[in-house]
């Protein structure tokens, strides 16, 4: 009997195709750059927020106010967008044949 954790990881790996992984890598690089260059009067933190929009902007308003809300909205927004990118890439690759796995 397979463990439930393995099937979840397999589903996430299938959902995140090559295009989604490239997107996540770019978001991680932008976030690292923003953290390294951010100062009090810098607007560098806005760049990763825009790169992960619209999900991160919606999450920024939905998550409770805390010190980590901005960072958490960027991370979750990037993951949501990557899942959507993976779904679109699979749909385009599949074409007119139905997906029998889902």
């Amino acid at each position: 009997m397979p463990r439930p954790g393995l099937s979840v990881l397999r589903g996430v790996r299938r959902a995140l195709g090559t295009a989604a992984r490239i997107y996540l890598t770019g978001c991680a690089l932008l976030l690292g750059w923003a953290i390294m260059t951010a100062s009090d009067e810098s607007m560098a933190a806005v760049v990763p927020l825009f790169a992960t929009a619209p999900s991160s902007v919606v999450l920024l308003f939905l998550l409770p106010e805390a010190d980590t809300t901005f960072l958490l909205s960027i991370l979750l927004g990037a993951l949501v967008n990557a899942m959507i990118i993976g779904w679109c890439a699979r749909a385009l690759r599949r074409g007119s044949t139905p997906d029998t796995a889902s």
Side-chain angles (χ1 to χ4, degrees):
M1 181 172 164
R3 295 188 314 215
L6 289 178
S7 62
V8 170
L9 287 176
R10 192 173 300 125
V12 169
R13 192 177 321 124
R14 193 179 92 176
L16 297 178
T18 304
R21 290 179 189 164
I22 292 170
Y23 171 76
L24 281 176
T25 303
C27 289
L29 290 172
L30 279 175
L31 185 60
W33 169 79
I35 290 172
M36 297 293 284
T37 61
S39 64
D40 288 341
E41 56 273 341
S42 174
M43 294 291 291
V46 176
V47 174
L49 184 70
F50 284 146
T52 58
S55 301
S56 61
V57 176
V58 170
L59 288 170
L60 188 63
F61 292 115
L62 293 179
L63 292 173
E65 188 66 32
D67 293 339
T68 59
T69 300
F70 190 75
L71 181 63
L72 189 61
S73 69
I74 291 174
L75 293 174
L76 289 175
L79 187 59
V80 167
N81 287 347
M83 297 289 274
I84 293 170
I85 289 170
W87 176 75
C88 289
R90 260 194 339 272
L92 288 172
R93 195 173 38 248
R94 183 177 57 233
S96 62
T97 55
D99 187 12
T100 58
S102 50

